[in-house]
Amino acid sequence: MTLFATRFASDGGTRLDGAVEMIHGSGGRATTELVRTLFHRHFDNAYLAQGNDQAAFDMEAARVVMTTDAHVVSPLFFPGGDIGSLAVHGTINDVAMAGARPLYLSAAFILEEGFPLRDLERIVASTARASRDAGVPVITGDTKVVEKGKGDGVFITTTGVGIVPAGVNISGDRAKPGDAILVSGTVGDHGVAVLSKRENLTFETGIVSDSAALHGLVAEMVAAVPALHCLRDPTRGGLAATLNEIAQQSGAGMRLVESAIPVKAGVLAACELLGLDPLYIANEGKLVAICEKADAGRRLDVMRRHPLGHDAALIGEVVADPHAFISMKTRFGGSRMVDWLAGDPLPRIC
Amino acid sequence: MTLFATRFASDGGTRLDGAVEMIHGSGGRATTELVRTLFHRHFDNAYLAQGNDQAAFDMEAARVVMTTDAHVVSPLFFPGGDIGSLAVHGTINDVAMAGARPLYLSAAFILEEGFPLRDLERIVASTARASRDAGVPVITGDTKVVEKGKGDGVFITTTGVGIVPAGVNISGDRAKPGDAILVSGTVGDHGVAVLSKRENLTFETGIVSDSAALHGLVAEMVAAVPALHCLRDPTRGGLAATLNEIAQQSGAGMRLVESAIPVKAGVLAACELLGLDPLYIANEGKLVAICEKADAGRRLDVMRRHPLGHDAALIGEVVADPHAFISMKTRFGGSRMVDWLAGDPLPRIC
């Protein structure tokens, strides 16, 4: 059963000065009232108004992409966003990274008993706002409740579908030796912003999360120079994990130039303080693009004209290497490997 | 980032005699090894093998449906199924209840630190088996890890997309006075099966969950007599919640006949023992169908020939009632209201 979409006539409603109770997950009147008072009101759209356990829409023949992400970020609210906006941006971005136009989202909420309804409303409102701003509606959803101590406030799983424009063929296995590696802006902002809010780390960096929906930027990149090889958003695991994934898929190595990778001074300072490497820190509004070297200049121009790409930079190149290793020329002129992350300095970053 | 789909060359792998650790959620090597050892191996299909953060597929022009469900059932394993098979069946059924043919699923897992990997493997294998048996592949997914005490073993959110055949128009607002109300089999099996496993309720009922994918049954029903008005699976909140939802959407009342509603003797006995009403108990392999009375006989014949519909029954009719009330002629010849459930006798049933 899906309970975002229930229409009903009761004049009641859920008082928002309370907290989530187990009864809100019953599937009965309390569930439908919560859904109406919170979800239906904020997400209101014609698809939800169909009032069924699934949303229906007409679609033309197309190459379709589908992606899903569970969001468990802690804390739920952080500088520059919250779990709701993050969930919308994260899933839109995974659709966009196929060069696709995101069409629709679903959102499933797992609520912990005792979570304040006012905080839930902030999250639902933020989810709805992010979805509206991006032009990608949440058309179906679900709410479940677990006992206190069996969850952590709110978890949100979003799923997105979108359409790949004709002629676009972007995949992580298409990086070729000689290709240019571009990044759309500074790395590490999201991770450091979340970290700065964690209860036992009270330093203030002034850094806000870069959480943003990148489909507009991608649409301009694809329209200007369709022949993109790879696109990926360096979230959990950071730039290092993303480049290693693409290297493995493509069976090619990469050579990066550390001084070319944009990092904000505050992010760098926080990382030095905490012994972290910004290359391993999550981003939520950045992308890595890999394309023919000949296209790189034009593509960078397009990216830099977009508000979400004005710090775009060429950070390295794809090289022939059967081991698919990633090496980096350091600021000090040496060279080091950029391996997968072995530990996890930042659990629950998204 | 979506991490079901990562291909990689490492010869390592996750030893399955351990437990889920925070590092499995890092997005680094431990995550990709877990994904490869467990998820990729069991779900293996051409879509996951694309190795990207989203799965791509070609689709013809169609009316498409999309639905999502978070699954938090407790206990994770119960007679007749587990959270994995339940998640697949539940989402396939929500697609099928639009009369649609389910095409693809996504699955996002939220894992609790310390959860035994062997149990996780049982769940992943069961999820994959249910998906394979139903012919609806899990084409993309995600895994996240939360600290011990911040989750409850495993939560799974599944999302499904499917295609509505031409000429089919099924919606909860299409029930009309005079329509027949059919149910595909006995009610209450799933709820009682889960209840029988709850740690503090040790009675043995011999009842197993009815958890099953209903799209095959629906396809035959739609092919035989396309003019179905409403279809819905009476899950959380049971038959009572589902009929009240449809009544509200349609602005019509219903009159049920208690003696016509199929209930297994063991379910009835357990309900009497525990002071529960089988009409409010969740089902996971049953559907309610509402159609013209003239079609009811033929439709019942079709349902009864299908293994998942052999106990199908006509249980009542839609009546004109601006209050959208549901009344029931009891076994003792009286009449009572079948209202929404006010309390929640069975939290976390799905």
Side-chain angles (χ1 to χ4, degrees):
Chain A
M1 181 174 58
T2 301
L3 259 172
F4 257 30
T6 310
R7 287 191 212 151
F8 53 114
S10 151
D11 289 310
T14 303
R15 290 187 52 179
L16 293 176
D17 49 1
V20 172
E21 299 172 37
M22 290 307 292
I23 182 89
H24 288 127
S26 66
R29 182 167 284 149
T31 309
T32 48
E33 285 181 357
L34 180 72
V35 166
R36 186 182 60 134
T37 309
L38 270 188
F39 294 94
H40 200 126
R41 185 158 60 83
H42 286 285
F43 286 118
D44 201 27
N45 61 51
Y47 305 99
L48 285 178
Q50 293 170 359
N52 293 316
D53 287 349
Q54 67 294 115
F57 50 88
D58 291 312
M59 206 145 123
E60 299 191 354
R63 185 139 184 92
V64 176
V65 293
M66 180 175 186
T67 186
T68 195
D69 266 302
H71 297 272
V72 300
V73 65
S74 173
L76 295 169
F77 302 94
F78 49 82
D82 58 53
I83 190 169
S85 53
L86 184 69
V88 168
H89 295 156
T91 295
I92 286 177
N93 290 349
D94 275 342
V95 171
M97 294 307 127
R101 182 164 61 87
L103 293 178
Y104 303 108
L105 296 174
S106 67
F109 287 68
I110 298 176
L111 311 176
E112 185 190 11
E113 182 188 18
F115 188 70
L117 286 171
R118 285 283 175 217
D119 287 343
L120 179 58
E121 185 179 36
R122 278 177 68 193
I123 291 168
V124 173
S126 161
T127 311
R129 195 181 315 118
S131 144
R132 226 171 11 247
D133 290 350
V136 187
V138 174
I139 62 170
T140 189
D142 189 30
T143 54
K144 292 284 159 65
V145 180
V146 296
E147 299 87 348
K148 201 167 175 64
K150 302 291 187 184
D152 197 12
V154 179
F155 301 141
I156 306 177
T157 298
T158 35
T159 305
V161 294
I163 283 182
V164 184
V168 172
N169 176 17
I170 294 168
S171 179
D173 58 5
R174 296 196 59 230
K176 301 278 177 301
D179 280 358
I181 304 170
L182 315 179
V183 66
S184 63
T186 57
V187 301
D189 300 16
H190 174 71
V192 168
V194 172
L195 200 57
S196 76
K197 273 297 255 197
R198 292 259 165 99
E199 48 190 334
N200 50 350
L201 291 166
T202 52
F203 70 95
E204 259 297 338
T205 60
I207 298 293
V208 299
S209 170
D210 57 350
S211 181
L214 295 168
H215 59 312
L217 173 60
V218 169
E220 294 191 13
M221 290 169 67
V222 165
V225 197
L228 259 172
H229 295 172
C230 314
L231 269 186
R232 195 161 294 179
D233 52 338
T235 56
R236 191 170 45 156
L239 190 63
T242 295
L243 293 179
N244 271 289
E245 285 168 28
I246 294 174
Q248 291 287 353
Q249 278 184 265
S250 297
M254 297 183 185
R255 202 142 44 201
L256 308 180
V257 178
E258 186 172 24
S259 61
I261 300 173
V263 188
K264 286 200 173 87
V267 169
L268 213 51
C271 284
E272 276 170 12
L273 190 68
L274 297 163
L276 299 173
D277 182 333
L279 297 191
Y280 294 89
I281 307 293
N283 310 278
E284 292 289 348
K286 298 291 155 38
L287 60 81
V288 170
I290 295 179
C291 63
E292 300 282 347
K293 195 172 285 177
D295 293 339
R298 231 168 98 216
R299 194 173 301 282
L300 275 175
D301 287 345
V302 172
M303 291 168 77
R304 286 174 180 153
R305 278 198 298 271
H306 192 281
L308 294 176
H310 56 68
D311 296 324
L314 170 70
I315 62 167
E317 62 173 342
V318 180
V319 297
D321 176 1
H323 300 296
F325 285 155
I326 299 180
S327 67
M328 183 167 74
K329 189 182 158 199
T330 69
R331 283 174 200 281
F332 311 106
S335 178
R336 72 166 172 98
M337 298 298 300
V338 179
D339 200 0
W340 295 89
L341 187 63
D344 186 5
L346 288 178
R348 299 184 56 187
I349 206 69
C350 60
Chain B
M1 180 173 60
T2 301
L3 258 172
F4 256 29
T6 310
R7 287 191 212 153
F8 53 116
S10 151
D11 290 311
T14 303
R15 288 187 54 181
L16 292 176
D17 48 1
V20 171
E21 298 171 37
M22 289 307 292
I23 181 93
H24 288 127
S26 66
R29 182 166 283 150
T31 309
T32 47
E33 286 182 356
L34 181 71
V35 166
R36 186 182 60 131
T37 308
L38 270 190
F39 295 93
H40 200 125
R41 186 158 60 82
H42 285 285
F43 286 117
D44 201 28
N45 62 50
Y47 305 97
L48 286 177
Q50 293 169 0
N52 293 316
D53 286 350
Q54 67 295 115
F57 51 88
D58 292 312
M59 206 144 119
E60 299 191 354
R63 184 133 183 98
V64 176
V65 294
M66 180 174 185
T67 186
T68 195
D69 265 302
H71 296 272
V72 300
V73 66
S74 173
L76 296 168
F77 301 95
F78 49 81
D82 57 54
I83 191 171
S85 52
L86 184 70
V88 168
H89 295 156
T91 295
I92 286 177
N93 290 349
D94 275 343
V95 171
M97 294 307 126
R101 183 164 61 88
L103 293 178
Y104 303 108
L105 296 174
S106 67
F109 287 68
I110 298 176
L111 310 176
E112 185 190 12
E113 183 187 16
F115 188 71
L117 287 171
R118 286 284 175 213
D119 287 343
L120 179 59
E121 186 179 36
R122 276 177 69 193
I123 290 167
V124 173
S126 160
T127 312
R129 196 180 316 118
S131 143
R132 226 171 11 248
D133 289 350
V136 187
V138 173
I139 63 170
T140 189
D142 190 31
T143 54
K144 292 284 160 61
V145 179
V146 296
E147 299 87 347
K148 201 168 177 63
K150 302 291 187 184
D152 196 13
V154 178
F155 301 141
I156 306 177
T157 298
T158 35
T159 304
V161 294
I163 284 184
V164 184
V168 171
N169 177 16
I170 294 169
S171 179
D173 59 4
R174 298 196 58 229
K176 302 275 179 303
D179 280 359
I181 305 171
L182 315 179
V183 67
S184 64
T186 57
V187 301
D189 301 16
H190 175 71
V192 168
V194 172
L195 199 58
S196 75
K197 273 298 253 198
R198 291 257 165 98
E199 47 191 336
N200 50 351
L201 292 165
T202 52
F203 71 95
E204 260 298 337
T205 61
I207 297 294
V208 300
S209 169
D210 57 350
S211 179
L214 294 168
H215 59 312
L217 172 61
V218 169
E220 294 191 13
M221 289 169 67
V222 165
V225 196
L228 259 171
H229 294 171
C230 314
L231 268 186
R232 196 160 293 179
D233 52 339
T235 57
R236 193 168 44 154
L239 189 64
T242 294
L243 293 179
N244 271 288
E245 285 169 28
I246 294 174
Q248 291 286 356
Q249 278 184 264
S250 297
M254 298 182 187
R255 202 142 45 200
L256 308 180
V257 178
E258 187 173 23
S259 60
I261 301 173
V263 188
K264 288 200 172 89
V267 169
L268 212 51
C271 284
E272 277 171 13
L273 190 69
L274 297 162
L276 299 172
D277 183 335
L279 297 191
Y280 294 89
I281 306 294
N283 311 278
E284 291 290 348
K286 298 291 156 36
L287 60 81
V288 170
I290 295 178
C291 63
E292 301 282 348
K293 196 174 284 177
D295 293 340
R298 231 167 97 213
R299 194 172 301 282
L300 275 175
D301 288 345
V302 171
M303 292 168 77
R304 287 175 179 153
R305 278 198 297 270
H306 192 280
L308 295 175
H310 56 67
D311 295 324
L314 171 70
I315 61 167
E317 62 173 343
V318 179
V319 295
D321 176 1
H323 300 294
F325 285 155
I326 298 180
S327 66
M328 183 167 73
K329 188 181 157 202
T330 67
R331 284 175 199 280
F332 310 106
S335 179
R336 73 167 172 97
M337 299 296 300
V338 179
D339 200 1
W340 296 89
L341 188 63
D344 186 5
L346 289 178
R348 299 184 58 188
I349 205 69
C350 60

